[in-house]
mmCIF file of all heavy atoms in Angstrom:
data_model
loop_
_atom_site.group_PDB
_atom_site.id
_atom_site.type_symbol
_atom_site.label_atom_id
_atom_site.label_comp_id
_atom_site.label_asym_id
_atom_site.label_seq_id
_atom_site.Cartn_x
_atom_site.Cartn_y
_atom_site.Cartn_z
ATOM 1 N N GLY A 26 -0.489 27.724 8.045
ATOM 2 C CA GLY A 26 -0.154 26.411 8.578
ATOM 3 C C GLY A 26 -1.234 25.734 9.385
ATOM 4 O O GLY A 26 -0.951 24.732 10.068
ATOM 5 N N ILE A 27 -2.472 26.209 9.307
ATOM 6 C CA ILE A 27 -3.553 25.662 10.111
ATOM 7 C C ILE A 27 -3.776 24.153 9.862
ATOM 8 O O ILE A 27 -4.174 23.441 10.751
ATOM 9 C CB ILE A 27 -4.859 26.486 9.942
ATOM 10 C CG1 ILE A 27 -5.935 26.003 10.913
ATOM 11 C CG2 ILE A 27 -5.350 26.381 8.516
ATOM 12 C CD1 ILE A 27 -5.576 26.145 12.363
ATOM 13 N N HIS A 28 -3.496 23.715 8.635
ATOM 14 C CA HIS A 28 -3.727 22.286 8.305
ATOM 15 C C HIS A 28 -2.417 21.512 8.230
ATOM 16 O O HIS A 28 -2.411 20.354 7.725
ATOM 17 C CB HIS A 28 -4.471 22.194 6.987
ATOM 18 C CG HIS A 28 -5.768 22.881 6.969
ATOM 19 N ND1 HIS A 28 -6.828 22.575 7.779
ATOM 20 C CD2 HIS A 28 -6.249 23.900 6.170
ATOM 21 C CE1 HIS A 28 -7.854 23.345 7.540
ATOM 22 N NE2 HIS A 28 -7.517 24.181 6.575
ATOM 23 N N ASN A 29 -1.326 22.065 8.742
ATOM 24 C CA ASN A 29 -0.022 21.447 8.586
ATOM 25 C C ASN A 29 0.056 20.067 9.257
ATOM 26 O O ASN A 29 0.836 19.238 8.817
ATOM 27 C CB ASN A 29 1.101 22.317 9.168
ATOM 28 C CG ASN A 29 1.553 23.365 8.178
ATOM 29 O OD1 ASN A 29 1.057 23.426 7.051
ATOM 30 N ND2 ASN A 29 2.496 24.164 8.593
ATOM 31 N N ASP A 30 -0.699 19.837 10.317
ATOM 32 C CA ASP A 30 -0.613 18.570 11.006
ATOM 33 C C ASP A 30 -1.075 17.391 10.114
ATOM 34 O O ASP A 30 -0.703 16.242 10.396
ATOM 35 C CB ASP A 30 -1.427 18.575 12.297
ATOM 36 C CG ASP A 30 -2.920 18.883 12.080
ATOM 37 O OD1 ASP A 30 -3.221 19.528 11.056
ATOM 38 O OD2 ASP A 30 -3.732 18.496 12.901
ATOM 39 N N ILE A 31 -1.799 17.690 9.046
ATOM 40 C CA ILE A 31 -2.201 16.606 8.120
ATOM 41 C C ILE A 31 -1.635 16.800 6.748
ATOM 42 O O ILE A 31 -1.572 15.809 5.954
ATOM 43 C CB ILE A 31 -3.763 16.531 8.033
ATOM 44 C CG1 ILE A 31 -4.364 17.829 7.627
ATOM 45 C CG2 ILE A 31 -4.329 16.023 9.351
ATOM 46 C CD1 ILE A 31 -5.849 17.753 7.348
ATOM 47 N N THR A 32 -1.200 18.020 6.405
ATOM 48 C CA THR A 32 -0.762 18.272 5.038
ATOM 49 C C THR A 32 0.743 18.170 4.805
ATOM 50 O O THR A 32 1.206 18.100 3.651
ATOM 51 C CB THR A 32 -1.234 19.638 4.522
ATOM 52 O OG1 THR A 32 -0.645 20.648 5.352
ATOM 53 C CG2 THR A 32 -2.751 19.739 4.563
ATOM 54 N N ASP A 33 1.544 18.216 5.858
ATOM 55 C CA ASP A 33 2.989 18.197 5.655
ATOM 56 C C ASP A 33 3.411 16.850 5.042
ATOM 57 O O ASP A 33 2.817 15.829 5.329
ATOM 58 C CB ASP A 33 3.750 18.464 6.951
ATOM 59 C CG ASP A 33 3.679 17.330 7.933
ATOM 60 O OD1 ASP A 33 2.647 17.134 8.583
ATOM 61 O OD2 ASP A 33 4.632 16.518 7.950
ATOM 62 N N ARG A 34 4.426 16.881 4.184
ATOM 63 C CA ARG A 34 4.804 15.747 3.442
ATOM 64 C C ARG A 34 5.234 14.566 4.318
ATOM 65 O O ARG A 34 5.051 13.378 3.950
ATOM 66 C CB ARG A 34 5.941 16.082 2.439
ATOM 67 C CG ARG A 34 5.521 17.046 1.320
ATOM 68 C CD ARG A 34 6.675 17.285 0.386
ATOM 69 N NE ARG A 34 6.258 18.205 -0.688
ATOM 70 C CZ ARG A 34 5.629 17.813 -1.772
ATOM 71 N NH1 ARG A 34 5.327 16.523 -1.970
ATOM 72 N NH2 ARG A 34 5.308 18.679 -2.721
ATOM 73 N N GLU A 35 5.796 14.822 5.474
ATOM 74 C CA GLU A 35 6.299 13.755 6.324
ATOM 75 C C GLU A 35 5.188 12.895 6.902
ATOM 76 O O GLU A 35 5.320 11.692 7.004
ATOM 77 C CB GLU A 35 7.107 14.351 7.486
ATOM 78 C CG GLU A 35 7.703 13.338 8.423
ATOM 79 C CD GLU A 35 8.488 13.976 9.548
ATOM 80 O OE1 GLU A 35 8.662 15.197 9.580
ATOM 81 O OE2 GLU A 35 8.952 13.185 10.406
ATOM 82 N N HIS A 36 4.043 13.512 7.189
ATOM 83 C CA HIS A 36 3.000 12.764 7.861
ATOM 84 C C HIS A 36 1.733 12.535 6.987
ATOM 85 O O HIS A 36 0.827 11.820 7.437
ATOM 86 C CB HIS A 36 2.542 13.484 9.143
ATOM 87 C CG HIS A 36 3.661 13.641 10.120
ATOM 88 N ND1 HIS A 36 4.287 14.860 10.368
ATOM 89 C CD2 HIS A 36 4.265 12.731 10.938
ATOM 90 C CE1 HIS A 36 5.198 14.670 11.300
ATOM 91 N NE2 HIS A 36 5.239 13.378 11.635
ATOM 92 N N ARG A 37 1.688 13.186 5.807
ATOM 93 C CA ARG A 37 0.408 13.155 5.081
ATOM 94 C C ARG A 37 -0.062 11.722 4.723
ATOM 95 O O ARG A 37 -1.230 11.431 4.805
ATOM 96 C CB ARG A 37 0.544 13.962 3.780
ATOM 97 C CG ARG A 37 -0.786 14.293 3.122
ATOM 98 C CD ARG A 37 -0.607 14.928 1.759
ATOM 99 N NE ARG A 37 0.307 16.057 1.798
ATOM 100 C CZ ARG A 37 0.726 16.729 0.699
ATOM 101 N NH1 ARG A 37 0.298 16.340 -0.494
ATOM 102 N NH2 ARG A 37 1.547 17.734 0.833
ATOM 103 N N ALA A 38 0.873 10.867 4.350
ATOM 104 C CA ALA A 38 0.475 9.511 3.932
ATOM 105 C C ALA A 38 -0.182 8.720 5.060
ATOM 106 O O ALA A 38 -1.037 7.888 4.826
ATOM 107 C CB ALA A 38 1.694 8.767 3.426
ATOM 108 N N GLU A 39 0.225 8.977 6.327
ATOM 109 C CA GLU A 39 -0.316 8.273 7.486
ATOM 110 C C GLU A 39 -1.572 8.965 8.058
ATOM 111 O O GLU A 39 -2.342 8.317 8.761
ATOM 112 C CB GLU A 39 0.696 8.124 8.595
ATOM 113 C CG GLU A 39 1.784 7.072 8.301
ATOM 114 C CD GLU A 39 2.824 7.521 7.316
ATOM 115 O OE1 GLU A 39 3.086 8.758 7.293
ATOM 116 O OE2 GLU A 39 3.320 6.698 6.509
ATOM 117 N N ARG A 40 -1.751 10.206 7.755
ATOM 118 C CA ARG A 40 -2.831 10.986 8.345
ATOM 119 C C ARG A 40 -3.957 11.328 7.390
ATOM 120 O O ARG A 40 -4.949 11.899 7.772
ATOM 121 C CB ARG A 40 -2.278 12.261 8.959
ATOM 122 C CG ARG A 40 -1.319 11.953 10.148
ATOM 123 C CD ARG A 40 -0.724 13.184 10.736
ATOM 124 N NE ARG A 40 0.173 12.884 11.835
ATOM 125 C CZ ARG A 40 0.923 13.754 12.483
ATOM 126 N NH1 ARG A 40 0.869 15.054 12.139
ATOM 127 N NH2 ARG A 40 1.733 13.354 13.430
ATOM 128 N N VAL A 41 -3.792 10.970 6.132
ATOM 129 C CA VAL A 41 -4.836 11.213 5.144
ATOM 130 C C VAL A 41 -5.104 9.935 4.344
ATOM 131 O O VAL A 41 -4.168 9.211 3.968
ATOM 132 C CB VAL A 41 -4.382 12.341 4.136
ATOM 133 C CG1 VAL A 41 -5.405 12.514 3.007
ATOM 134 C CG2 VAL A 41 -4.192 13.655 4.913
ATOM 135 N N ILE A 42 -6.371 9.646 4.126
ATOM 136 C CA ILE A 42 -6.737 8.522 3.311
ATOM 137 C C ILE A 42 -7.605 8.996 2.149
ATOM 138 O O ILE A 42 -8.589 9.754 2.345
ATOM 139 C CB ILE A 42 -7.512 7.441 4.104
ATOM 140 C CG1 ILE A 42 -7.878 6.261 3.223
ATOM 141 C CG2 ILE A 42 -8.755 7.998 4.802
ATOM 142 C CD1 ILE A 42 -8.416 5.023 4.024
ATOM 143 N N LYS A 43 -7.247 8.603 0.950
ATOM 144 C CA LYS A 43 -8.013 8.947 -0.210
ATOM 145 C C LYS A 43 -8.996 7.840 -0.536
ATOM 146 O O LYS A 43 -8.600 6.707 -0.776
ATOM 147 C CB LYS A 43 -7.147 9.206 -1.434
ATOM 148 C CG LYS A 43 -7.928 9.577 -2.655
ATOM 149 C CD LYS A 43 -7.051 9.908 -3.864
ATOM 150 C CE LYS A 43 -7.877 10.267 -5.086
ATOM 151 N NZ LYS A 43 -7.010 10.591 -6.249
ATOM 152 N N LEU A 44 -10.307 8.162 -0.468
ATOM 153 C CA LEU A 44 -11.347 7.171 -0.737
ATOM 154 C C LEU A 44 -11.697 7.177 -2.201
ATOM 155 O O LEU A 44 -11.926 8.194 -2.810
ATOM 156 C CB LEU A 44 -12.573 7.494 0.128
ATOM 157 C CG LEU A 44 -12.360 7.485 1.629
ATOM 158 C CD1 LEU A 44 -13.676 7.861 2.305
ATOM 159 C CD2 LEU A 44 -11.847 6.181 2.139
ATOM 160 N N VAL A 45 -11.772 5.947 -2.751
ATOM 161 C CA VAL A 45 -12.174 5.764 -4.151
ATOM 162 C C VAL A 45 -13.256 4.707 -4.183
ATOM 163 O O VAL A 45 -13.054 3.617 -3.609
ATOM 164 C CB VAL A 45 -10.964 5.338 -5.061
ATOM 165 C CG1 VAL A 45 -11.453 5.131 -6.462
ATOM 166 C CG2 VAL A 45 -9.847 6.371 -4.987
ATOM 167 N N HIS A 46 -14.377 5.005 -4.793
ATOM 168 C CA HIS A 46 -15.490 4.059 -4.822
ATOM 169 C C HIS A 46 -15.024 2.766 -5.399
ATOM 170 O O HIS A 46 -14.392 2.688 -6.471
ATOM 171 C CB HIS A 46 -16.632 4.653 -5.669
ATOM 172 C CG HIS A 46 -17.770 3.663 -5.855
ATOM 173 N ND1 HIS A 46 -18.645 3.345 -4.874
ATOM 174 C CD2 HIS A 46 -18.126 2.949 -6.961
ATOM 175 C CE1 HIS A 46 -19.509 2.451 -5.325
ATOM 176 N NE2 HIS A 46 -19.239 2.219 -6.587
ATOM 177 N N GLY A 47 -15.378 1.650 -4.733
ATOM 178 C CA GLY A 47 -15.048 0.318 -5.203
ATOM 179 C C GLY A 47 -13.666 -0.178 -4.853
ATOM 180 O O GLY A 47 -13.279 -1.303 -5.204
ATOM 181 N N GLU A 48 -12.875 0.644 -4.176
ATOM 182 C CA GLU A 48 -11.515 0.237 -3.796
ATOM 183 C C GLU A 48 -11.343 0.094 -2.292
ATOM 184 O O GLU A 48 -12.118 0.701 -1.511
ATOM 185 C CB GLU A 48 -10.507 1.269 -4.330
ATOM 186 C CG GLU A 48 -10.442 1.338 -5.864
ATOM 187 C CD GLU A 48 -9.314 2.242 -6.368
ATOM 188 O OE1 GLU A 48 -8.511 2.674 -5.533
ATOM 189 O OE2 GLU A 48 -9.309 2.500 -7.556
ATOM 190 N N LYS A 49 -10.386 -0.701 -1.907
ATOM 191 C CA LYS A 49 -10.049 -0.907 -0.490
ATOM 192 C C LYS A 49 -9.662 0.413 0.188
ATOM 193 O O LYS A 49 -9.024 1.229 -0.430
ATOM 194 C CB LYS A 49 -8.934 -1.926 -0.295
ATOM 195 C CG LYS A 49 -9.282 -3.346 -0.700
ATOM 196 C CD LYS A 49 -10.023 -4.088 0.411
ATOM 197 C CE LYS A 49 -10.221 -5.546 0.082
ATOM 198 N NZ LYS A 49 -10.895 -6.277 1.187
ATOM 199 N N MET A 50 -10.024 0.598 1.417
ATOM 200 C CA MET A 50 -9.713 1.767 2.163
ATOM 201 C C MET A 50 -8.337 1.634 2.811
ATOM 202 O O MET A 50 -8.131 1.234 3.965
ATOM 203 C CB MET A 50 -10.751 2.083 3.245
ATOM 204 C CG MET A 50 -12.144 2.261 2.723
ATOM 205 S SD MET A 50 -13.299 2.776 4.000
ATOM 206 C CE MET A 50 -14.882 2.402 3.280
ATOM 207 N N LEU A 51 -7.269 1.949 2.002
ATOM 208 C CA LEU A 51 -5.899 1.812 2.411
ATOM 209 C C LEU A 51 -5.189 3.103 2.468
ATOM 210 O O LEU A 51 -5.514 4.040 1.707
ATOM 211 C CB LEU A 51 -5.174 0.836 1.429
ATOM 212 C CG LEU A 51 -5.681 -0.592 1.351
ATOM 213 C CD1 LEU A 51 -5.050 -1.304 0.139
ATOM 214 C CD2 LEU A 51 -5.344 -1.357 2.634
ATOM 215 N N PHE A 52 -4.203 3.223 3.325
ATOM 216 C CA PHE A 52 -3.421 4.481 3.427
ATOM 217 C C PHE A 52 -2.046 4.087 3.966
ATOM 218 O O PHE A 52 -1.745 2.951 4.285
ATOM 219 C CB PHE A 52 -4.106 5.505 4.306
ATOM 220 C CG PHE A 52 -4.297 5.127 5.725
ATOM 221 C CD1 PHE A 52 -3.488 5.661 6.725
ATOM 222 C CD2 PHE A 52 -5.293 4.250 6.114
ATOM 223 C CE1 PHE A 52 -3.636 5.334 8.056
ATOM 224 C CE2 PHE A 52 -5.436 3.888 7.454
ATOM 225 C CZ PHE A 52 -4.639 4.444 8.448
ATOM 226 N N GLY A 53 -1.188 5.109 4.017
ATOM 227 C CA GLY A 53 0.204 4.922 4.396
ATOM 228 C C GLY A 53 1.098 5.018 3.153
ATOM 229 O O GLY A 53 0.637 4.925 2.052
ATOM 230 N N LYS A 54 2.374 5.201 3.399
ATOM 231 C CA LYS A 54 3.319 5.385 2.247
ATOM 232 C C LYS A 54 3.310 4.159 1.324
ATOM 233 O O LYS A 54 3.458 4.309 0.127
ATOM 234 C CB LYS A 54 4.716 5.626 2.787
ATOM 235 C CG LYS A 54 4.870 6.975 3.505
ATOM 236 C CD LYS A 54 6.280 7.200 4.023
ATOM 237 C CE LYS A 54 6.387 8.589 4.702
ATOM 238 N NZ LYS A 54 7.760 8.788 5.263
ATOM 239 N N ASP A 55 3.154 3.012 1.894
ATOM 240 C CA ASP A 55 3.140 1.766 1.128
ATOM 241 C C ASP A 55 1.779 1.094 1.158
ATOM 242 O O ASP A 55 1.692 -0.128 0.921
ATOM 243 C CB ASP A 55 4.222 0.795 1.588
ATOM 244 C CG ASP A 55 5.622 1.411 1.470
ATOM 245 O OD1 ASP A 55 5.918 1.944 0.386
ATOM 246 O OD2 ASP A 55 6.354 1.366 2.469
ATOM 247 N N LYS A 56 0.731 1.859 1.489
ATOM 248 C CA LYS A 56 -0.598 1.314 1.663
ATOM 249 C C LYS A 56 -0.632 0.146 2.655
ATOM 250 O O LYS A 56 -1.336 -0.847 2.435
ATOM 251 C CB LYS A 56 -1.160 0.884 0.295
ATOM 252 C CG LYS A 56 -1.206 1.969 -0.757
ATOM 253 C CD LYS A 56 -2.090 3.113 -0.356
ATOM 254 C CE LYS A 56 -2.172 4.236 -1.408
ATOM 255 N NZ LYS A 56 -2.917 5.426 -0.955
ATOM 256 N N GLU A 57 0.129 0.269 3.697
ATOM 257 C CA GLU A 57 0.254 -0.790 4.671
ATOM 258 C C GLU A 57 -0.829 -0.732 5.759
ATOM 259 O O GLU A 57 -0.983 -1.702 6.509
ATOM 260 C CB GLU A 57 1.618 -0.741 5.327
ATOM 261 C CG GLU A 57 1.886 0.464 6.240
ATOM 262 C CD GLU A 57 2.475 1.665 5.498
ATOM 263 O OE1 GLU A 57 2.121 1.850 4.311
ATOM 264 O OE2 GLU A 57 3.255 2.428 6.106
ATOM 265 N N TYR A 58 -1.602 0.346 5.796
ATOM 266 C CA TYR A 58 -2.648 0.500 6.811
ATOM 267 C C TYR A 58 -4.007 0.417 6.109
ATOM 268 O O TYR A 58 -4.172 0.777 4.911
ATOM 269 C CB TYR A 58 -2.527 1.812 7.572
ATOM 270 C CG TYR A 58 -1.254 1.958 8.327
ATOM 271 C CD1 TYR A 58 -0.200 2.758 7.836
ATOM 272 C CD2 TYR A 58 -1.081 1.311 9.535
ATOM 273 C CE1 TYR A 58 0.975 2.881 8.552
ATOM 274 C CE2 TYR A 58 0.112 1.442 10.271
ATOM 275 C CZ TYR A 58 1.111 2.230 9.760
ATOM 276 O OH TYR A 58 2.299 2.363 10.428
ATOM 277 N N GLY A 59 -5.002 -0.030 6.876
ATOM 278 C CA GLY A 59 -6.359 -0.073 6.293
ATOM 279 C C GLY A 59 -7.428 0.220 7.358
ATOM 280 O O GLY A 59 -7.138 0.145 8.569
ATOM 281 N N LEU A 60 -8.625 0.500 6.930
ATOM 282 C CA LEU A 60 -9.771 0.692 7.820
ATOM 283 C C LEU A 60 -10.573 -0.538 7.852
ATOM 284 O O LEU A 60 -10.926 -1.154 6.829
ATOM 285 C CB LEU A 60 -10.611 1.884 7.326
ATOM 286 C CG LEU A 60 -9.977 3.254 7.314
ATOM 287 C CD1 LEU A 60 -10.980 4.293 6.806
ATOM 288 C CD2 LEU A 60 -9.498 3.637 8.744
ATOM 289 N N VAL A 61 -10.899 -1.003 9.087
ATOM 290 C CA VAL A 61 -11.740 -2.190 9.284
ATOM 291 C C VAL A 61 -12.878 -1.839 10.202
ATOM 292 O O VAL A 61 -12.857 -0.794 10.883
ATOM 293 C CB VAL A 61 -10.892 -3.308 9.912
ATOM 294 C CG1 VAL A 61 -9.722 -3.695 9.018
ATOM 295 C CG2 VAL A 61 -10.420 -2.940 11.327
ATOM 296 N N GLN A 62 -13.896 -2.711 10.197
ATOM 297 C CA GLN A 62 -15.037 -2.521 11.079
ATOM 298 C C GLN A 62 -14.661 -3.037 12.471
ATOM 299 O O GLN A 62 -14.143 -4.136 12.613
ATOM 300 C CB GLN A 62 -16.244 -3.239 10.543
ATOM 301 C CG GLN A 62 -17.579 -2.780 11.118
ATOM 302 C CD GLN A 62 -18.071 -1.502 10.459
ATOM 303 O OE1 GLN A 62 -18.044 -1.355 9.260
ATOM 304 N NE2 GLN A 62 -18.492 -0.532 11.269
ATOM 305 N N ASP A 63 -14.957 -2.269 13.504
ATOM 306 C CA ASP A 63 -14.736 -2.675 14.910
ATOM 307 C C ASP A 63 -16.008 -2.422 15.635
ATOM 308 O O ASP A 63 -16.269 -1.351 16.205
ATOM 309 C CB ASP A 63 -13.576 -1.846 15.470
ATOM 310 C CG ASP A 63 -13.223 -2.279 16.882
ATOM 311 O OD1 ASP A 63 -13.467 -3.453 17.205
ATOM 312 O OD2 ASP A 63 -12.701 -1.405 17.654
ATOM 313 N N GLY A 64 -16.896 -3.450 15.622
ATOM 314 C CA GLY A 64 -18.225 -3.250 16.155
ATOM 315 C C GLY A 64 -18.977 -2.343 15.262
ATOM 316 O O GLY A 64 -19.129 -2.545 14.064
ATOM 317 N N PHE A 65 -19.512 -1.228 15.837
ATOM 318 C CA PHE A 65 -20.213 -0.241 15.022
ATOM 319 C C PHE A 65 -19.267 0.908 14.597
ATOM 320 O O PHE A 65 -19.700 1.834 13.934
ATOM 321 C CB PHE A 65 -21.376 0.361 15.847
ATOM 322 C CG PHE A 65 -22.482 -0.573 16.075
ATOM 323 C CD1 PHE A 65 -22.750 -1.111 17.290
ATOM 324 C CD2 PHE A 65 -23.320 -0.967 14.978
ATOM 325 C CE1 PHE A 65 -23.807 -2.009 17.516
ATOM 326 C CE2 PHE A 65 -24.361 -1.826 15.168
ATOM 327 C CZ PHE A 65 -24.620 -2.334 16.421
ATOM 328 N N LEU A 66 -17.990 0.822 14.961
ATOM 329 C CA LEU A 66 -17.036 1.852 14.694
ATOM 330 C C LEU A 66 -16.001 1.454 13.674
ATOM 331 O O LEU A 66 -15.935 0.290 13.270
ATOM 332 C CB LEU A 66 -16.372 2.299 16.005
ATOM 333 C CG LEU A 66 -17.316 2.761 17.107
ATOM 334 C CD1 LEU A 66 -16.519 3.063 18.361
ATOM 335 C CD2 LEU A 66 -18.098 3.998 16.682
ATOM 336 N N LEU A 67 -15.142 2.404 13.256
ATOM 337 C CA LEU A 67 -14.063 2.124 12.389
ATOM 338 C C LEU A 67 -12.737 2.056 13.152
ATOM 339 O O LEU A 67 -12.593 2.709 14.201
ATOM 340 C CB LEU A 67 -13.958 3.234 11.309
ATOM 341 C CG LEU A 67 -15.086 3.349 10.313
ATOM 342 C CD1 LEU A 67 -14.889 4.552 9.415
ATOM 343 C CD2 LEU A 67 -15.195 2.101 9.456
ATOM 344 N N LYS A 68 -11.813 1.320 12.643
ATOM 345 C CA LYS A 68 -10.541 1.130 13.325
ATOM 346 C C LYS A 68 -9.448 1.092 12.239
ATOM 347 O O LYS A 68 -9.600 0.481 11.192
ATOM 348 C CB LYS A 68 -10.510 -0.171 14.126
ATOM 349 C CG LYS A 68 -9.219 -0.429 14.864
ATOM 350 C CD LYS A 68 -9.346 -1.740 15.632
ATOM 351 C CE LYS A 68 -8.031 -2.077 16.385
ATOM 352 N NZ LYS A 68 -8.163 -3.345 17.126
ATOM 353 N N ALA A 69 -8.318 1.790 12.519
ATOM 354 C CA ALA A 69 -7.157 1.739 11.592
ATOM 355 C C ALA A 69 -6.249 0.666 12.080
ATOM 356 O O ALA A 69 -5.882 0.623 13.271
ATOM 357 C CB ALA A 69 -6.517 3.096 11.568
ATOM 358 N N VAL A 70 -5.822 -0.227 11.158
ATOM 359 C CA VAL A 70 -4.962 -1.334 11.524
ATOM 360 C C VAL A 70 -3.846 -1.448 10.483
ATOM 361 O O VAL A 70 -3.916 -0.896 9.393
ATOM 362 C CB VAL A 70 -5.722 -2.675 11.599
ATOM 363 C CG1 VAL A 70 -6.838 -2.620 12.576
ATOM 364 C CG2 VAL A 70 -6.243 -3.056 10.192
ATOM 365 N N LYS A 71 -2.778 -2.108 10.872
ATOM 366 C CA LYS A 71 -1.685 -2.423 9.939
ATOM 367 C C LYS A 71 -1.951 -3.806 9.387
ATOM 368 O O LYS A 71 -2.090 -4.802 10.137
ATOM 369 C CB LYS A 71 -0.338 -2.374 10.609
ATOM 370 C CG LYS A 71 0.849 -2.443 9.655
ATOM 371 C CD LYS A 71 2.173 -2.115 10.319
ATOM 372 C CE LYS A 71 3.275 -2.059 9.302
ATOM 373 N NZ LYS A 71 4.589 -1.701 9.894
ATOM 374 N N VAL A 72 -2.085 -3.863 8.072
ATOM 375 C CA VAL A 72 -2.444 -5.142 7.448
ATOM 376 C C VAL A 72 -1.329 -6.152 7.676
ATOM 377 O O VAL A 72 -0.130 -5.847 7.485
ATOM 378 C CB VAL A 72 -2.647 -4.961 5.928
ATOM 379 C CG1 VAL A 72 -3.007 -6.279 5.251
ATOM 380 C CG2 VAL A 72 -3.756 -3.909 5.648
ATOM 381 N N GLY A 73 -1.743 -7.349 8.162
ATOM 382 C CA GLY A 73 -0.769 -8.403 8.421
ATOM 383 C C GLY A 73 -0.373 -8.499 9.868
ATOM 384 O O GLY A 73 0.321 -9.424 10.298
#
C-alpha cells in the first residue's frame, strides 16, 4: 500500500495526471481540473 494515496480508485483521478504530447494538461474524473502557469511555477486550477 505504499502508493495507495495516489493509486486508490477514489482519489486517483484527482491525484494523477496523464500527460500526452500535444494535449491539454487536464485531470479529474470529468477532466475539470487543469495545470496553468503561475509565474515560474505550475498551479492546479478548476477550469471555469
Side-chain angles (χ1 to χ4, degrees):
I27 186 60
H28 302 299
N29 276 0
D30 58 335
I31 56 173
T32 62
D33 71 281
R34 292 183 180 276
E35 182 180 355
H36 299 107
R37 195 187 310 173
E39 285 76 32
R40 295 179 181 174
V41 174
I42 181 171
K43 181 178 178 180
L44 300 178
V45 179
H46 175 73
E48 295 187 8
K49 292 278 187 179
M50 301 185 198
L51 296 169
F52 64 103
K54 291 181 180 178
D55 300 311
K56 303 298 182 186
E57 67 271 32
Y58 299 102
L60 295 180
V61 301
Q62 199 79 47
D63 184 25
F65 289 109
L66 303 176
L67 294 174
K68 180 180 179 180
V70 301
K71 190 168 186 178
V72 180

